[in-house]
Amino acid sequence: MKVVKFGGSSLASGKQIEKVFNIVNADPERKIIVVSAPGKRFSADNKVTDLLIACAEKRIQGESADDLAEAVLDRYGQIADELELGLDIKDMIREDLFTRLSSDTDDPEVFMDLIKASGEDNNAKLVAAYFQQQGVEARYVNPKEAGLLVSPEPGNAQVLPEAYENLYSLKEKDGIIIFPGFFGYSRDGQVFTFSRSGSDVTGSILAGAVKADLYENFTDVDAVYSVNPFIVESPKEIKELTYREMRELSYAGFTVLHDEALVPAFRAGIPVQIKNTNNPSAPGTRIVNERDNTNGPVIGIASDQGFCSIYVGKYLMNREVGFGRKLLTILEEYGLSYEHTPSGIDDISIILRENQFTDGVEEEILSRIQYELHADEVKIQHSLSLIMVVGEGMRQNIGTMARASKALAKAKVNMEMINQGSSEVSMMFGVQAVDEKRAVQALYNEFFAAVAAV
Ligand SMILES: Nc1ncnc2c1ncn2[C@@H]1O[C@H](COP(=O)(O)OP(=O)(O)O)[C@@H](O)[C@H]1O
Ligand SMILES: N[C@@H](CC(=O)OP(=O)(O)O)C(=O)O
């Protein structure tokens, strides 16, 4: 049995949903179908989820959200018309959205999740209606009915362990199951969503729960490319990579798969296949436990912007027991998570996502570090990009760091910091955001120009 997830780009129009139907119909093993909300039809288009967020924000501010609600309903309406689904489904979606919008906003975050989740929930109902109209035995299954229990963390829910046992019974159901991605229910019955792009996570949870043979993730590219195709033109496709490599790459900027989506599939040992809804005969990319390292040390290069680095210098820091703990405790008190901590004997840098800082907090944290830790120097550097060079082959190859540094030097990119993960499957370079694209291109030329296929 296969669990198959279709992303927003695969469900953005009636024509796309016809493709989805043909793909599912072509393989009787495709039994559990996870759907996202309708995504963008063209680059300047709106994702339904973004419209819903704007809708919820207006209501939270006490304003009317009718115009935005109509824009959402128009997207479903157009799809239903294209698929000749009739009025029932449109009426049902309208009623559902306005019922949700009329609920109380006392807890804005809970309200936001209720509205966001409607994107996937209503799309699953619409897709199920289309499959039924085509004469296929298919039915919408609600995550509450199926027992997809999650932690009550708005916009950042985590699956609860007992969900896996509950969801196992989906295996026994007849026909095709159309399951909305992106959200689950807390133990007391409230809706909570995963973080953005979280339908990938739902697919992986279901695949793990029913012990599927394969988790297929359909999107709008033929494969996972060795670098982001918006940075390097026509980059090499990756045929196979390991869970660890993909986890590092998706965390560091390969948005094609949610970085938390691999854990459930990995724990259950289920391979993941990335495929293209618009070109389903392309083999795609397979994510597995182990692969042959035949083509050099590096499998992919990912990059992301929006980081800052807090530098702390203190003479004899290496001798001071508890220094690191005290420093991280200050960050913890402000609810900040950090990404990397490159360090020397007398200094340490903490790399964080900039968007975690609220007004005024930055100065407060810097002066607390200076004062409470008696630091010699504390400074913050903004607008950094992190570049991750990833590959299991690095463990067996000598000189990968030297090659990367040389390529960056040749491209006149100043490295602000370097960190090699203890796992030896990744190297991190911190550069100024303005240098990011040039750096990625230089690294790509170094590691992929002469490689046939990866
Ligand atoms: N290394 C990469 N390989 C393939 N796609 C990538 C990569 N990095 C970023 N992407 C982007 O990921 C997109 C697919 O993910 P997403 O937009 O979330 O699709 P979906 O709508 O299927 O959920 C691609 O269109 C591409 O722009
Ligand atoms: N619709 C949600 C969840 C999701 O997974 O979407 P997509 O498959 O389009 O990335 C979002 O936009 O975040």
Side-chain angles (χ1 to χ4, degrees):
M1 176 197 277
K2 294 178 185 171
V3 171
V4 191
K5 179 253 169 178
F6 290 93
S9 53
S10 304
L11 299 153
S13 66
K15 204 166 150 234
Q16 288 300 92
I17 293 178
E18 280 168 12
K19 290 182 194 170
V20 166
F21 176 75
N22 291 332
I23 290 167
V24 174
N25 223 16
D27 184 347
E29 291 299 310
R30 292 180 174 139
K31 284 264 319 216
I32 300 181
I33 314 302
V34 176
V35 299
S36 291
K40 291 184 180 193
R41 293 158 291 184
F42 42 89
S43 66
D45 198 11
N46 288 312
K47 286 181 101 173
V48 161
T49 307
D50 291 321
L51 290 172
L52 288 166
I53 291 170
C55 218
E57 276 165 355
K58 273 203 155 182
R59 271 281 289 117
I60 289 165
Q61 284 155 14
E63 295 169 29
S64 161
D66 286 0
D67 50 345
L68 285 161
E70 290 302 338
V72 170
L73 294 171
D74 190 48
R75 288 294 304 273
Y76 290 109
Q78 284 185 40
I79 295 173
D81 290 346
E82 268 184 83
L83 298 174
E84 295 175 6
L85 282 177
L87 274 180
D88 286 1
I89 188 76
K90 288 202 264 188
D91 290 346
M92 203 186 71
I93 294 174
R94 171 172 289 274
E95 200 192 319
D96 176 84
L97 183 56
F98 279 108
T99 307
R100 288 177 196 244
L101 283 170
S102 66
S103 53
D104 76 61
T105 57
D106 292 354
D107 187 333
E109 289 185 315
V110 168
F111 178 77
M112 173 62 80
D113 273 16
L114 180 71
I115 303 302
K116 271 197 287 180
S118 75
E120 275 53 28
D121 206 28
N122 283 323
N123 212 26
K125 291 174 192 162
L126 188 151
V127 171
Y130 177 63
F131 275 48
Q132 287 156 10
Q133 185 211 55
Q134 296 305 104
V136 165
E137 188 187 351
R139 75 178 189 102
Y140 156 83
V141 172
N142 182 272
K144 192 179 203 172
E145 172 200 341
L148 176 42
L149 293 176
V150 297
S151 61
E153 296 170 81
N156 195 27
Q158 303 289 319
V159 63
L160 297 181
E162 62 262 41
Y164 288 97
E165 213 175 299
N166 301 340
L167 293 164
Y168 182 76
S169 60
L170 289 177
K171 210 181 168 89
E172 260 76 70
K173 292 204 191 308
D174 291 332
I176 292 169
I177 291 164
I178 313 288
F179 198 99
F182 195 36
F183 71 98
Y185 286 81
S186 61
R187 288 196 184 106
D188 62 6
Q190 271 183 322
V191 171
F192 287 95
T193 68
F194 298 121
S195 52
R196 289 301 302 269
S197 297
S199 300
D200 287 338
V201 179
T202 307
S204 186
I205 292 167
L206 296 197
V210 302
K211 304 196 178 6
D213 299 307
L214 183 65
Y215 170 29
E216 287 180 311
N217 189 295
F218 277 84
T219 180
D220 63 349
V221 280
D222 275 355
V224 176
Y225 299 108
S226 44
V227 294
N228 186 332
F230 285 108
I231 298 186
V232 172
E233 212 178 305
S234 313
K236 295 215 156 57
E237 292 181 4
I238 302 175
K239 291 198 177 93
E240 198 170 61
L241 74 173
T242 66
Y243 295 111
R244 274 205 312 179
E245 289 171 329
M246 189 63 203
R247 156 100 176 108
E248 296 259 0
L249 288 165
S250 54
Y251 158 78
F254 278 21
T255 49
V256 61
L257 191 73
H258 192 295
D259 69 316
E260 289 168 25
L262 284 167
V263 180
F266 163 72
R267 289 206 178 121
I270 296 158
V272 181
Q273 188 94 20
I274 309 289
K275 284 183 72 78
N276 191 352
T277 298
N278 306 315
N279 185 17
S281 58
T285 298
R286 203 170 175 84
I287 306 165
V288 290
N289 212 5
E290 275 177 53
R291 68 174 178 93
D292 293 334
N293 293 315
T294 48
N295 255 312
V298 177
I299 192 102
I301 301 164
S303 62
D304 204 2
Q305 307 191 341
F307 294 93
C308 63
S309 167
I310 300 177
Y311 171 89
V312 185
K314 185 178 183 188
Y315 183 54
L316 291 181
M317 186 191 285
N318 64 318
R319 299 274 299 274
E320 194 175 322
V321 175
F323 188 91
R325 177 184 50 76
K326 286 180 214 154
L327 176 58
L328 295 177
T329 302
I330 294 177
L331 298 180
E332 190 180 348
E333 282 169 19
Y334 290 87
L336 300 176
S337 64
Y338 67 93
E339 313 292 320
H340 301 271
T341 54
S343 64
I345 49 168
D346 287 338
D347 47 24
I348 183 165
S349 292
I350 314 282
I351 298 169
L352 309 104
R353 284 201 183 264
E354 274 174 329
N355 63 6
Q356 298 183 89
F357 288 108
T358 46
D359 285 348
V361 158
E362 183 182 311
E363 293 75 39
E364 207 175 297
I365 291 175
L366 296 188
S367 58
R368 274 193 64 188
I369 294 173
Q370 181 99 51
Y371 177 74
E372 291 174 28
L373 303 183
H374 308 288
D376 298 324
E377 191 179 2
V378 182
K379 60 183 180 190
I380 187 161
Q381 195 180 2
H382 288 286
S383 304
L384 291 174
S385 286
L386 297 189
I387 301 174
M388 296 289 273
V389 177
V390 176
E392 301 265 2
M394 275 188 225
R395 271 195 301 266
Q396 288 97 40
N397 279 271
I398 298 167
T400 313
M401 178 63 90
R403 280 177 69 186
S405 319
K406 206 169 147 201
L408 291 175
K410 226 170 118 194
K412 302 210 170 353
V413 174
N414 184 30
M415 286 185 274
E416 303 290 335
M417 67 197 78
I418 301 180
N419 196 17
Q420 175 148 32
S422 323
S423 61
E424 279 191 73
V425 297
S426 66
M427 289 180 317
M428 183 277 280
F429 297 94
V431 302
Q432 292 287 344
V434 286
D435 290 337
E436 178 186 330
K437 287 192 176 164
R438 201 153 33 92
V440 171
Q441 182 74 61
L443 292 166
Y444 180 78
N445 294 347
E446 172 62 33
F447 290 106
F448 291 98
V451 171
V454 282

